[in-house]
Amino acid sequence: MGFSELSIILGGPQGSGLETSMLALSRALAYRGYGILADREYYSNIVGRHSYIHMSVSSKRIPRSLTYPVKLLISMDAETVFTHFRDVEDGGILVYDKDTRIKKIAEIPSMEDSLKSRLIRDLKTLGIGEDLESITEMLRSRGIVTIGTSFQVILKDLMKIYGIDPRSLSRYVSGIVTSSASLLLGLDREALRYGFESVFSGRPKLVEQNMFIADVVWRELRSYEGLLKLEDSEIDFDELLVATGNDVVAIAKIVSGLRYQSYYPITPAADESFFLEKYEVSELDGSVIGPVVVVQTEDEIAAINSAIGAALAGARSATATSGPGFDLMVEGLSWAGMNEVPVVITYYQRGGPSTGLPTRGSQSDLLSSVFAAHGEFAKVVISSGDHLDAFYDTILAFNIAEKYQLPVIHLLDKFLANSTSTIPLPDLDNVKIERGLKPVPPGEYKRFNLETLVSPRAPLGTPGIIMWYTGDEHDEHGHISEDPDSRVRMYSKRIEKLKLVDEEIPGDLKLRVHGDGGGDFCLIGWGSVKGAALDALGEIVRRSNLRGVYIDVKMLWPFPRRELAEVIRRSGFEKIIAVEHSYGVNIADLAAMAAGIRIGKRIAKFTGRPITLGELTQALEKVLTSDIEYVVISYGE
Amino acid sequence: MIDEKCRNCANYSPHIHFPQVGRCLVFDTGVSESDSCSKFRRISIDDLLSTLGREGSVYCATCGTSLISEEDLKTHSRSHCLTTRVVIDEAIAEESKAAD
Amino acid sequence: MESKGVSYKSSVWVDWCPGCGNFGILTAVLKAFAELKLDPSETVIVSGIGCSGKLPHFVNVNGVHTLHGRAIPFAMGIKLANPELTVVVHGGDGDLLGIGAGHFVALGRRNLDIVVALHNNGVYGLTKGQASPTLPLDTKTKALPKPNIQQAINPIALAIASGYTFVARGYAFEGEHLKNIIIEAIKHKGAAFIDILQPCVTFNDIFTSEYYGKRVYRLEKDQSWDPVVRDPGERVPKMLKAIERSMEWSERIPIGVFYVDNTISTFEERLSSRLKVYPEINPANSSIMTEESKSVIDNAKFKKIFGDLIVSVSKRTQGRSPQ
């Protein structure tokens, strides 16, 4: 007997090896067929501030949500213990560096004062000292196994034996974390080696040294071996893609035929462009795939406008950004709408307004993206609920953009961008590329031909034809025209393309109803609330015997008003609850405006931390069993 | 009496996250804070003040924080391990996320 | 497109003020394109906002009339996606050196093979003659209620400092001379900049055709003037000379080629060194899908390309021992 599902937190100072630990552990777990979902939380800081990974591991399925409390907390420093000891389940395990046991909360300069005073107040109430030793003692009294190990001793040994350079210590500290987690979870040496080999690919020495660390750690912690042993995996995949949301979107962009990506560095979008640069061109069996021209522009204005330029020349073209960058792109978005340019903006939301919480997540830009840019024109906004959805949706974004000749915003967020998941390999046999291009014969060409809503599009450079584009209102040739009659026809044409999108895109791509269709309530949301929402449906049946469905709104604009109204009408739900990472839970207002559906209850989270299963389940219970209409949840540091 | 260990030596540069280990600036090797050798040179308040004046900060390895005032320097120097150099881990460039 | 006998003039009515310097520029552009026999379908004029922004509509080649200040980023996307195109940017002084100054500088850093033609008239014409970034301090043109309290940018010096590898000045009413500069700029491989002095008959009563007519002189008349960097060692002295000459702006105003550097790689070459297949295989001509509308990346290729991120699951019964 072992555990089929559990949660883990790995914490330490930013830059100290957490990322490597998470990657190695994820790879080792995936190697033995386990599913993982790992959220990455960090400050706007290069090095030193508290950073952690909150991970769900499962032997039964690919985890969809993050949960508290956790079974295992592995800390590289005292701050991690102080910040997260309350997250550990009774009967769980804490691994810590015992050299830090005399540390007091007040002595940690990187901790924010507000957290310090909250902790000190709470500890005082409980009559517990403010030092790490007192806390571990209290944890033990709660049945938590506290495992103190000396990082210093291990690192010193390593320096003596291998003469390693202290400038690369983090490479080894990560090994301590990965090895202890592996030992406790019952992972074997081969899996662990696989984990190290995949993160230190091409650096065999690092692999050996980390295996040496594993030996030391496993010897020292032998008595705890398998304390959190996972059951053998029942997940039936021969191969798993281990990737962040940024990675998945970048991969999908390459698969979809992206050929130009511009960007200006911003969190949490920049990693996507880095990934693209790494895979910008491949030569396989004599054929070239690519190239993707990736350009770091001077600002987001140049990013969007150069992407539009590349699209005019016929390339599948995109840019990636987050809120502050998107705000700068909006004038370009309006030009793209006016000129019917297929361009994709991958928009990773973070906490606003302004710089807000640059490294934390949110879904607070829904209305900003749906209603962005002056004038009226057709644009499409789609969202993705998880990594695998994001893969297919990225391709859909390009297909819609090109088929209907309009800008598409793919609205994602930091939670997805930075979380790592194990997903099955996408099936490319069922992926279609739709460009909406028809050959245009040489001769007179009207780029904005009014005979059809979607005019035949030819790229700049097409032999034998020329065309004009302008941000001014224009005639069919693309020349400036202020004629009212022409204005009405051209203006309407551009907007009415949205009707085509609304009519032609299959309902399944607009919204998805999860659950058996009947029940007591309907939860509605979009994007990264999906996993927690789905798991909460299960929890609430178990706990309160209330049955519900989750409606994942995938296409946010044009809003799937018919589809949503139909779902609501068919099932006759009385209780509709919206959930979102925002204050306003703005999807409810959008549904009211676009579909005339009144959503009476809202669950909001805007701490910048992801919605976790327990808090969502509790909030749902609260709104379902009372008159309370608005619940704010806030768990997690 | 302050012992003649690396932690009190002017040539010791502690690791940013694990200050108990670090680099010896004389031999350019990895050392532990409790090591010692014949090249030991006690770090003086003048060393620290001079670095503070020139570079704008010194580092308190005990607290894991940079000190930028003479007042702080003097307070911390009473019982903490202060240094003029810190080992910035090379892995940070890969470990850190884009964060702004 | 067959370029022989092509009329580069479009049928759109040119609605600039009669006597505007833009006519001289438009005519020079038409003549330069004709002389170079540019294929209209392989040529793109990209413009910004204002009077100069309308220029593409008057020319029978591809035209992209963009946003205020943003012509350069649009042009960059077009050129990088299809490096076979000839891309010429036309923008005003407010456009390229005011709202779009960041892009102007960035293009120099990239040395991308684009021509930037600055319609330099010292005012924002289409919005009633406000002072532009090239209007000197204390100048009071007709429509300004009070003299200008901002200094002027030196476009030539800025272009050189930014890294443009072809920097010249023309005068709108020296048509033949301007045409030749445009031809040289188009032929140049790398970022080319032409500062075109352009009288604005309606709003600029200072920098008029009379004003320029008395002052402009051709650099090339001075036989010792050699602006071409042939060896990297010549770069700094020739740059300094060009910048020094660009400061001349009183009784005499030089026009002609200030600076040419053929020793610096173009952005296309830099990309080529990374992408290998570029520019022969580029975003515009590379295939992305099969005849069956599938991605050129199938399941097998996917595994090869992204193998680093794929874990082959090995679910043997687990060994429990670390050893």
Side-chain angles (χ1 to χ4, degrees), chain A residues 13-20 40 42-47 103 109 151-152 156 159 166-171 173 266-267 350 358-359, chain B residues 15-18 20-23 28-35 62-65 87-92 94-100:
Chain A
Q14 169 88 320
S16 62
L18 266 185
E19 186 77 6
T20 304
R40 181 81 156 86
Y42 54 100
Y43 276 83
S44 176
N45 159 256
I46 295 174
V47 67
K103 279 273 179 199
F151 285 31
Q152 192 187 164
K156 277 185 199 164
M159 283 207 304
R167 280 169 292 208
S168 53
L169 269 191
S170 291
R171 291 268 167 262
V173 176
I266 193 165
T267 303
R350 63 189 219 185
T359 60
Chain B
H15 184 268
I16 179 166
H17 295 128
F18 296 91
Q20 304 90 345
V21 284
R23 202 169 133 251
D28 193 19
T29 53
V31 289
S32 140
E33 60 165 9
S34 52
D35 288 345
T62 312
C63 296
T65 194
V87 173
I88 299 294
D89 204 294
E90 284 165 0
I92 292 170
E94 286 173 50
E95 283 289 328
S96 285
K97 308 293 282 185
D100 207 6

Side-chain angles (χ1 to χ4, degrees), chain A residues 267-578:
Chain A
T267 303
D271 289 345
E272 185 202 296
S273 298
F274 262 42
F275 186 100
L276 286 171
E277 269 192 49
K278 192 171 165 195
Y279 294 91
E280 59 197 358
V281 66
S282 315
E283 293 196 56
L284 287 181
D285 319 321
S287 68
V288 173
I289 291 167
V292 186
V293 171
V294 182
V295 183
Q296 182 192 328
T297 53
E298 56 276 21
D299 53 32
E300 283 92 348
I301 297 172
I304 182 67
N305 293 321
S306 69
I308 292 171
L312 296 178
R316 277 207 156 177
S317 173
T319 183
T321 190
S322 68
F326 178 77
D327 287 356
L328 287 181
M329 293 183 180
V330 169
E331 191 192 17
L333 178 67
S334 183
W335 196 95
M338 181 57 139
N339 285 281
E340 308 189 40
V341 187
V343 66
V344 171
I345 301 174
T346 310
Y347 185 161
Y348 296 96
Q349 298 161 95
R350 63 189 219 185
S354 190
T355 314
L357 296 171
T359 60
R360 313 287 180 177
S362 95
Q363 296 181 287
S364 51
D365 301 343
L366 168 64
L367 300 182
S368 169
S369 41
V370 165
F371 299 121
H374 63 288
E376 301 158 283
F377 62 91
K379 71 166 163 310
V380 170
V381 183
I382 62 171
S383 73
S384 302
D386 56 36
H387 292 67
L388 197 56
D389 282 358
F391 181 87
Y392 293 109
D393 294 337
T394 300
I395 295 165
L396 177 68
F398 285 101
N399 287 348
I400 293 176
E402 287 206 311
K403 209 170 152 195
Y404 301 100
Q405 302 178 17
L406 39 72
V408 174
I409 297 168
H410 188 190
L411 198 54
L412 301 163
D413 58 38
K414 179 265 166 185
F415 305 122
L416 182 97
N418 289 159
S419 62
T420 300
S421 178
T422 42
I423 59 170
L425 268 51
D427 180 9
L428 303 183
D429 288 340
N430 294 317
V431 165
K432 271 189 102 172
I433 306 292
E434 296 177 275
R435 305 206 68 183
L437 283 173
K438 290 190 192 98
V440 173
E444 193 197 0
Y445 170 64
K446 295 192 228 172
R447 171 64 189 91
F448 303 103
N449 193 318
L450 283 164
E451 282 170 26
T452 46
L453 277 184
V454 181
S455 315
R457 180 171 66 98
L460 292 169
T462 305
I465 59 167
I466 55 173
M467 66 199 82
W468 287 270
Y469 287 96
T470 173
D472 286 52
E473 187 56 275
H474 41 259
D475 61 18
E476 289 181 296
H477 285 101
H479 285 311
I480 299 169
S481 168
E482 299 187 20
D483 173 63
D485 178 61
S486 165
R487 160 72 167 179
V488 167
R489 290 193 294 149
M490 201 55 80
Y491 197 79
S492 312
K493 163 205 198 290
R494 281 190 301 265
I495 294 172
E496 285 165 11
K497 287 191 298 181
L498 217 49
K499 285 186 191 164
L500 285 186
V501 175
D502 190 43
E503 284 159 15
E504 294 179 1
I505 303 288
D508 180 50
L509 297 177
K510 293 182 185 167
L511 63 79
R512 279 185 201 149
V513 184
H514 298 267
D516 55 16
D520 307 296
F521 69 95
C522 160
L523 182 61
I524 178 168
W526 58 283
S528 62
V529 298
K530 177 183 168 187
L534 294 184
D535 285 348
L537 294 185
E539 281 292 296
I540 207 127
V541 172
R542 216 167 44 78
R543 287 165 55 145
S544 314
N545 200 29
L546 290 164
R547 287 172 349 110
V549 299
Y550 174 63
I551 300 176
D552 179 15
V553 184
K554 296 193 60 59
M555 184 169 280
L556 297 161
W557 202 259
F559 195 83
R561 59 204 154 78
R562 279 178 288 108
E563 290 82 358
L564 184 61
E566 173 62 18
V567 176
I568 305 279
R569 191 192 55 75
R570 203 174 52 218
S571 46
F573 293 117
E574 281 177 19
K575 290 190 171 156
I576 310 175
I577 305 121

